[in-house]
């Protein structure tokens, strides 16, 4: 037969007699008249007026609905209400009842909530169709005479409802169906001969419309609610016809006498008689299940005596005339798909999967299988169609590989295109796609692809450009680069592929300066090569454009570009520096270098020289003069060298430069010009001229004159230097020597005179002390030094010539042995001496400091001042050594221009003697005090020591000042405080034995050398020898020391006058000046 | 969706000529390579615009098999347009055209617009019926002719729309009685009242109608 031409599958499983005979037992002698289902129950009515509810386990619950007979049951799906039609009295009009299955009366029966007679006119007619709207506001009953009664009202609550009589025709009503869609209800009516519809718009208004002129037999209708729309279906012998609100819909041809029609989840189930010829009895029936949307038959099988299909419990129940229930279970989706895959019916599988809301992954898998299947069959484009649908889930390489292997470029292109469209393409995909385009020479598509502005189909631009370039699609690559702002690529293509330098330059010009800069750095070289003028101009614009106030580029970054293009570089730099004269010095230097290069090639170019000199004058060039000098020197640019020497005050170098040129006129003139600022230039000039045989005697004479005038060098040294000179004559030096020796001679005699004088003075002091010690002293003080009142007995007198009232003394004196006026000062000094003791033995610290010091001499002097060379015995032990203490004071003072040299010698000498140079003063004072303690009655004696002490302190302080002045002001400061004065304090204590005239030292500030104490014969010898030697030797000694070589400070070397800190101006020694500096009046004990 | 007119179409022709495919291409813009036999009548609809007017096309795609002829025949009536389809790769489908045409003329109203369509124009290599033959047949029987491909969608839109235009023109000419639904033409919902309410007239007529 032609009818089964839809594909047929077996998607349902038939389970026979699932009720295990329950139905047969329950309805032994009764007839099942009607059936319904819903809310977990199968509901059957019988000819005794009973209604039976079966649950899934076929547990039965029955209640009496009518006295005579139940003809219709209808279970609502959305509520627990059950509608029934039946007869309570035979021969009288049927009654419609609505039951609430959830409400039970006392007997456990459902409550009847609505009861109404089904009476179309004035005579009883059997009800043939019955329907209730799910919302329970409408209900309709159809009768055998073609009339319909429509009931309106709230059927679930009100006991009565409004009735409306409708006449659909004259033939029996075989089916009714009520559907409500937003405020509008439709009543579909099928009669034996027509299909009509009432549109129920408002309370009592119905619009009639005829849908068809052919009808169906009772029960052969269904209502389909699917994605394809709502259809009222009726079954006739030739086909199943569908109707919509608008009229006729599709129809499905299916021949045979239909017994029942049912709609279940998109399936149309038809129970029909097998059209057997002759014995067309009702026993041979078949059940067919159509999948209307997917156009196949999901199940078909002959099931004997079937007459009704209802759906419940997730499956289909087939009721048979012999009171059996067969169940049709739908197979699960996977089983169904497997069946379809086995038959290679992938397209059907896809449709089925889609209609059952299969998940995306599953669908993709089917697409892939389908694709694979088609591919295997050689249907590449069909396969690609399927593969395209897998994009996003299936690994693209799987598909790409298949089509690459098969050289199916067109399909491959389609696939890659889709990948891009969905934004899933990788760089490789882009490359491949573009390769496909270029291989196919499909310029249109290529352009289209490249020009697409679709955000989703974004691709890797660089890859695209690369592929285009490789394939020779420069134009496309260029456009792409420009559109996407890939400036480097754009330029690369222009320069490397198209060699269109001018356009490249124009392009750069249009870029914002920062990008232009980067790109110029990259490609400037090539551009300068090809278009030197334009490129230079562009660079200049970038570095110093006037118009826009964009940030200007740093010209320095472009310098590299000009390698081997010197003229352009000069042009560039000149312009840049013209606009920005204060640019970075490196620019200046670059220009300088270029100039110098040019100069070496073209020496006699005054213009160029002028330019260079001008450039050299620039502050940023002078700021790094050494560099400029280096440049000038490497290029032997004399004017520049001279200029720089002069500018940077390197006059010495200037002299050397001239001397090397044997240009002594210039040497002399330089000395003349700058000698005022730097007198040592003359000395240097002398050194230079003595080592050069081209020098003229006039020059030498002038040098010598200047040296003499400014006393720049000691005579001995001058002689020494001259002796080295090849062309210096004795005659030249003679006058000079005579003059010098004369002045030396006079100095020496002056010194000797002074020594004599000091010796005498010392003698006088010694006498005085002796006097004090031995002869009586008259105290003539008339006033008390405390209260300033005339002295009265009892009074106290001290050798320091202070006198006090006894009571004044008592109230002021801490100690009766000490003069309260002198006490504070004495105590202070004693405290200082004591404090000194603590830090004297820190040898390591001393060595450390000495090694690290810039000027070890200062350190030495400092420690010398602290008395580091003295071994300071305790007060007590000193007593014993008192008599043997022999101090050889080396009290030094020297004048400014020749200070220092002697000091080191002294230092060493006193170091050698330091062991013997013990503290005298305090010890002695102590001794005296102790002595005096025993002769207490004569107070005068007791304080004798104090007097001397005080006196000596004054002297020592002054001596200390002088020494300090020769070292550093720091040392001096400390010395003045007395903190480090031990060494000097010790000395005057020895006055009784060996007099040292310290005080007088201050009065000979300009004296060279040392004032020697001459008490001891050994030391006098020394001093004599010292005196005999000229101060030149002293100077030499000093020079050794200043050589700043800690390991051997006395190593022989040339003496550098300039480095002598003591050779400075006179004024710089505040203590070397004169004695005015020391204020006598501040010393209360200085007489 | 509101429309000015509703036109009913019918597609007829031998089985396998691509009637269902044409419909699918027109309504869903897709092509179905597998032959799903139509058993009975299928149904599709789409909105088009002609002369600035929205027109709804209701299309019945009928089964081409001889066995279903009795069922499909009942759909001829009430169609304003018909697409008579043959397959250019199968001469027999072209040869059957006369039978189809007779059937259509017999069961439909006489004003029905019939468009002759030679389908599968994409299969040029397997062509059995020349385009000229189709043109000649159409000329002879007063039909409009077109070759289409449901696969590539070539001329598919045009086939349906040109038919609609033809019908529309006939309406303008007054050939169709638009108030007789049996002609396969229906006025859209908002156009109906303007006829019913002619006495009230005026500007309010078109909007006032729908309230009752
Ligand atoms: N190449 C090509 N194949 C087509 C075209 N139109 C339809 N087909 C194929 O032809 C076969 C039949 O198409 P259908 O549209 O189902 O045929 P039909 O006319 O509806 O057939 P019935 O429903 O039996 O009347 C299918 O396999 C389609 O894939 C076309 O334009 N070109
Ligand atoms: Mg078909």
């Amino acid at each position: 037969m032609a009818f089964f031409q839809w594909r047929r599958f077996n998607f349902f499983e038939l389970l026979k007699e699932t009720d295990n005979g329950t139905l047969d037992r329950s309805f032994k002698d009764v007839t099942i008249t009607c059936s319904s289902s819903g809310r977990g129950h199968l509901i059957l009515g019988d000819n005794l007026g009973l209604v039976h509810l079966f649950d899934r386990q076929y547990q039965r619950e029955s209640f009496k609905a009518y006295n005579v007979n139940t003809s219709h049951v209808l279970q609502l799906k959305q509520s627990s209400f059950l509608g029934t039609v039946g007869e309570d009295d035979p021969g009288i009009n049927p009654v419609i009842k609505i039951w609430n299955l959830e409400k039970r009366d006392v007997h456990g029966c459902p409550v009847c909530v609505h009861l109404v007679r089904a009476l179309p006119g004035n005579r009883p007619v059997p009800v043939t169709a019955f329907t209730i709207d799910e919302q329970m506001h409408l209900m309709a009953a159809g009768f055998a005479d073609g009339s319909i009664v429509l009931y309106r009202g709230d059927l679930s609550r009100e006991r009565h409802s409004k009735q409306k009589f409708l006449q659909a025709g004259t033939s029996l009503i075989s089916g009714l169906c009520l559907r409500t869609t937003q405020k509008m209800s439709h009543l579909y009516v099928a009669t034996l001969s027509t299909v009509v519809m009432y549109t129920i718009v408002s309370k009592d208004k119905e619009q009639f419309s005829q849908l068809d002129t052919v009808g169906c037999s009772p029960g052969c209708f269904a209502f389909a609610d699917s994605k394809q729309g709502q259809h009222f279906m009726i079954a006739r012998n030739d086909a199943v016809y569908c109707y919509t609100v608008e009229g006729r819909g599709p129809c499905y041809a299916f021949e045979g006498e239909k017994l029942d029609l049912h709609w279940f989840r998109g399936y149309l189930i038809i129970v029909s008689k097998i059209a057997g010829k002759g014995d067309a009895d009702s026993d041979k029936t078949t059940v067919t299940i159509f999948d209307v949307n997917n156009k196949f038959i999901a199940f078909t099988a002959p099931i004997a005596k079937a007459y009704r299909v209802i759906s419940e419990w997730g499956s289909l129940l087939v009721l048979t005339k012999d009171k059996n229930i067969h169940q049709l279970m739908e197979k699960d989706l996977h089983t169904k798909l497997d069946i379809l895959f086995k038959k290679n019916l992938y397209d059907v599988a896809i449709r089925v999967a889609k209609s059952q809301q299969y998940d995306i992954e599953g669908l993709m898998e089917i697409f892939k299988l389908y694709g694979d299947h088609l591919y295997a069959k050689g249907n590449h484009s069909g396969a690609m169609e399927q593969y395209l649908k897998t994009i996003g889930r299936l690994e693209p390489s799987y598909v790409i590989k298949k089509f690459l292997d098969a050289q199916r470029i067109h399909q491959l292109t389609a696939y890659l295109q889709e990948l891009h469209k969905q934004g899933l393409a990788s760089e490789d995909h882009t490359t491949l796609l573009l390769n496909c385009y270029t291989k196919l020479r499909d310029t249109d598509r290529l352009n289209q692809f490249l020009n697409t502005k679709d955000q989703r189909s974004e691709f890797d631009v660089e890859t695209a450009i690369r592929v285009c370039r490789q394939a020779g699609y420069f134009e496309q690559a260029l456009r792409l680069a420009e559109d996407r702002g890939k400036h480097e690529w754009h330029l690369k293509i222009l320069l490397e592929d198209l060699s269109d330098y001018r356009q490249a330059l124009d392009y750069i010009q249009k870029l914002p300066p920062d990008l232009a800069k980067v790109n110029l750095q990259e490609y400037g070289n090539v551009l300068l090569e090809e278009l030197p003028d334009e490129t230079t101009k562009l660079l200049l614009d970038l570095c110093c454009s006037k118009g826009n106030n964009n940030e200007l580029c740093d010209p320095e970054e472009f310098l590299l570009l000009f390698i081997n293009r010197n003229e352009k570089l000069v042009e560039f730099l000149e312009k840049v520096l013209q606009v920005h004269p204060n640019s970075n010095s490196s620019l200046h230097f670059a220009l300088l270098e270029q100039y110098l290069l040019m100069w070496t090639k073209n020496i006699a170019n005054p213009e160029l020289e002028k330019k260079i000199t001008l450039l050299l004058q620039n502050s940023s060039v002078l700021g790094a003069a050494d560099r400029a000098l280096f440049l000038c020197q490497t290029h032997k640019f004399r004017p520049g060298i001279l200029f720089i020497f002069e500018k940077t005050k390197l006059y010495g170098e200037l002299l050397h430069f001239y001397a090397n040129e044997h240009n002594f006129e210039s040497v002399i003139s330089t000395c003349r010009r700058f000698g005022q600022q730097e007198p040592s230039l003359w000395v240097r000039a002398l050194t230079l001229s003595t080592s050069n045989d081209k020098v003229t005697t006039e020059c030498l004479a002038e040098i010598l004159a200047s040296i003499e005038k400014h006393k720049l060098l000691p005579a001995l040294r001058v002689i020494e230097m001259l002796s080295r000179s090849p062309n210096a004559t004795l005659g030249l030096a003679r006058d000079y020597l005579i003059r010098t020796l004369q002045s030396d001679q006079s100095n020496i005699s002056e010194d000797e005179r002074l020594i004599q004088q000091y010796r005498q003075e010392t003698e006088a002091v010694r006498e005085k002390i002796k006097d004090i010690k031995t002869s009586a002293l008259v105290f003539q003080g008339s006033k008390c030094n405390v209260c300033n009142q005339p002295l009265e007995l009892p009074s106290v007198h001290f050798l320091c010539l202070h006198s006090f009232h006894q009571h004044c003394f008592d109230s002021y004196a801490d100690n009766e042995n000490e003069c309260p006026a002198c006490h504070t000062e004495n105590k202070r000094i004693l405290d200082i001496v004591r404090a000194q003791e603590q830090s004297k033995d820190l040898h390591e610290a001393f060595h450390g400091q000495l090694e690290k010091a810039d000027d070890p001499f200062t350190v030495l002097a400092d420690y010398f001042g602290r008395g580091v060379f003295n071994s300071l015995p305790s007060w007590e032990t000193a007593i014993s050594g008192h008599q043997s203490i022999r101090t050889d004071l080396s009290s030094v003072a020297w004048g400014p221009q020749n200070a220092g040299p002697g000091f080191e010698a002294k230092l060493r000498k006193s170091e050698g003697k330091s062991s013997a140079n013990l503290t005298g003063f305090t010890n002695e004072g102590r001794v005296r005090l102790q002595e005096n303690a025993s002769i207490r009655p004569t107070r005068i004696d007791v304080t004798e020591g104090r007097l001397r002490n005080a006196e000596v302190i004054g002297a020592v302080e002054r001596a200390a000042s002088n020494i300090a002045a020769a070292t550093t002001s720091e040392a001096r400061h400390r010395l003045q405080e007395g903190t480090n004065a031990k060494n000097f304090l010790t000395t005057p204590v020895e006055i009784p034995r060996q007099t040292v005239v310290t005080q007088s030292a201050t009065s000979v500030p300009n004296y060279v050398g040392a004032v020697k104490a001459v008490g001891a014969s050994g030391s006098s010898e020394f001093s004599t020898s010292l005196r005999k030697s000229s101060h030149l030797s002293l100077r030499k000694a000093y020079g050794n020391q200043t050589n700043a070589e800690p390991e051997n400070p006395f190593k022989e070397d040339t003496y550098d006058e300039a480095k002598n800190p003591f050779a400075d101006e006179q004024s710089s020694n505040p203590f070397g000046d004169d004695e005015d500096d020391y204020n006598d009046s501040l010393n209360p004990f200085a007489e | 969706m509101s429309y000015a007119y509703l036109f009913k179409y019918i597609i007829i022709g031998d089985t396998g000529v691509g009637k269902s495919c044409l419909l699918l291409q027109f309504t869903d813009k897709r092509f179905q390579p597998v032959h799903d036999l139509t058993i009975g009548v299928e149904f599709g609809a789409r909105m088009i615009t002609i002369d600035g007017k929205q027109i709804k096309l209701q299309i019945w795609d009928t089964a081409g098999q001889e066995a279903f002829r009795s069922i499909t025949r009942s759909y001829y009536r009430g169609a304003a347009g018909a697409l008579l389809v043959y397959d250019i790769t199968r001469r027999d489908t072209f040869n059957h055209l006369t039978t189809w045409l007779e059937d259509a003329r017999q069961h439909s109203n006489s004003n029905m617009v019939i468009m002759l369509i030679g389908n599968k124009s994409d299969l040029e290599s397997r062509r059995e019926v020349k385009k000229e033959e189709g043109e000649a047949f159409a000329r002879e029987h007063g039909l409009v002719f077109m070759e289409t491909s449901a696969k590539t969608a070539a001329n598919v839109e045009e086939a349906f729309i040109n038919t609609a235009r033809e019908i529309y023109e006939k309406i303008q000419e007054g050939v169709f009685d638009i108030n007789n639904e049996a002609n396969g033409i229906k006025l859209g919902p908002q156009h109906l009242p303007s006829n019913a309410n002619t006495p009230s007239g005026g500007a309010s007529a078109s909007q006032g109608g729908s309230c009752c």
Side-chain angles (χ1 to χ4, degrees), chain A residues 191-477:
Chain A
T191 71
L192 287 178
S193 58
T194 54
V195 180
V196 300
M197 183 185 69
Y198 291 95
T199 307
I200 302 155
V201 192
S202 57
K203 282 241 150 103
D204 51 347
K205 210 156 185 190
E206 300 85 24
Q207 275 175 10
F208 171 87
S209 51
Q210 175 127 24
L211 297 176
D212 208 343
T213 51
V214 204
C216 67
S217 46
C220 288
F221 73 95
F223 195 86
D225 218 339
S226 73
K227 272 182 280 174
Q228 277 68 34
Q230 296 188 327
H231 294 280
F232 179 65
M233 298 171 154
I234 62 156
R236 288 201 289 265
N237 284 353
D238 56 349
V240 174
Y241 293 85
C242 301
Y243 303 90
T244 68
V245 283
E246 292 198 316
R248 281 173 91 168
C251 77
Y252 308 104
F254 184 73
E255 205 148 277
E257 187 190 337
K258 314 294 186 302
L259 296 174
D260 192 26
L261 204 58
H262 189 75
W263 182 261
F264 170 68
R265 291 185 193 165
Y267 292 114
L268 174 66
I269 302 110
I270 300 171
V271 183
S272 59
K273 280 186 182 172
I274 294 171
K277 282 180 183 118
D279 60 335
D281 63 277
S282 62
D283 282 359
K284 287 191 172 172
T285 52
T286 95
V287 174
T288 308
I289 303 175
F290 289 93
D291 186 331
V292 173
N293 294 326
N294 297 321
K295 301 200 174 93
F296 60 82
I297 294 162
F299 175 85
T300 181
I303 298 176
K305 295 181 184 169
Y307 74 96
R308 181 108 169 91
V309 171
I310 37 185
S311 49
E312 192 56 56
W313 309 321
S315 61
L316 291 169
L317 305 171
V318 182
L319 303 184
T320 60
K321 285 254 165 65
D322 48 9
K323 292 169 189 156
N324 269 325
I325 297 183
H326 306 300
Q327 208 166 340
L328 283 167
M329 297 282 290
E330 190 178 4
K331 291 175 182 172
D332 67 71
L333 185 57
H334 277 282
T335 317
K336 291 196 277 188
L337 291 178
D338 278 344
I339 294 169
L340 294 171
F341 292 159
K342 268 181 207 141
K343 297 184 177 187
N344 285 331
L345 292 170
Y346 296 99
D347 55 330
V348 183
I350 289 162
R351 269 190 275 170
V352 169
K354 270 186 183 164
S355 66
Q356 300 217 353
Q357 269 85 45
Y358 200 37
D359 58 24
I360 302 276
E361 254 99 318
L363 275 176
M364 296 281 181
E365 184 58 28
I366 304 173
F367 291 142
K368 183 196 160 240
L369 287 173
Y370 195 14
D372 290 350
H373 169 71
L374 292 172
Y375 184 87
K377 284 205 314 194
N379 181 355
H380 293 106
S381 52
M384 181 46 74
E385 225 168 274
Q386 299 308 317
Y387 287 133
L388 282 178
K389 295 179 198 159
T390 66
I391 286 177
R393 304 278 166 170
L394 184 64
E395 178 53 48
S397 60
Y398 174 85
V399 181
I400 291 171
K401 200 174 168 312
K402 270 184 181 248
F403 285 82
L404 260 186
D405 291 349
Q407 289 291 306
R408 293 279 163 180
I409 295 180
H410 283 284
Q411 278 92 16
L412 190 58
T413 310
Y415 186 77
L416 292 167
Q417 242 170 332
E418 187 62 25
L419 270 183
H420 281 85
K421 214 178 257 173
Q422 299 199 13
L424 295 168
S426 72
E427 268 172 54
D428 292 339
H429 298 148
T430 308
T431 315
L432 198 57
L433 176 59
L434 292 170
N435 276 328
C436 285
Y437 284 149
T438 51
K439 207 164 196 173
L440 295 171
R441 291 276 137 196
D442 192 345
T443 316
D444 288 347
R445 290 258 286 282
L446 177 65
N447 285 339
Q448 198 187 328
F449 176 77
L450 294 178
N451 292 341
T452 182
K453 293 282 186 286
D454 189 354
Q455 226 21 42
R456 281 192 313 142
S457 61
E458 202 42 68
F459 52 87
D460 188 74
V461 178
E462 298 202 0
T463 312
I465 295 174
R466 208 180 47 240
V467 175
C468 286
R469 282 183 72 197
Q470 275 164 7
Y473 283 90
F474 299 124
E475 195 191 310
Q476 278 82 357

Side-chain angles (χ1 to χ4, degrees), chain B residues 13-22 31-39 61-65 87 119-123 148-152:
Chain B
D14 273 8
T15 179
V17 295
K19 301 184 292 297
S20 301
C21 287
L22 282 169
F31 176 70
Q32 158 97 46
V34 185
H35 186 185
D36 277 323
L37 274 182
T38 305
I39 55 160
D61 161 35
T62 63
Q65 285 187 84
D87 180 351
N119 190 36
K120 309 199 187 181
S121 63
D122 57 295
L123 298 175
T148 62
S149 167
K151 188 173 180 176
T152 66

Side-chain angles (χ1 to χ4, degrees), chain A residues 487-488 491 504-505 507-525 527 535 538-544 550-561 572:
Chain A
H487 309 302
E488 322 85 72
L491 292 170
L505 200 64
Y507 187 80
I508 292 179
Q509 212 150 12
K510 280 183 217 131
L511 289 177
D514 50 333
L515 288 175
K517 188 186 91 179
V518 174
N519 285 304
L520 269 176
Q521 277 172 338
E522 179 94 31
Y523 302 109
N525 240 320
L527 289 171
T535 311
L538 176 59
L539 286 171
L540 274 172
D541 280 353
L542 277 176
C543 293
C544 36
N550 280 326
E551 208 154 291
L552 295 177
C553 295
D554 184 357
E556 229 184 307
E557 298 181 47
F558 295 129
L559 290 188
L560 269 182
L561 299 179
F572 175 69

Side-chain angles (χ1 to χ4, degrees), chain B residues 19-30:
Chain B
K19 301 184 292 297
S20 301
C21 287
L22 282 169
L23 176 61
L24 195 66
Q25 185 60 258
F26 181 63
T27 55
D28 284 23
K29 296 188 168 33
R30 62 189 173 93

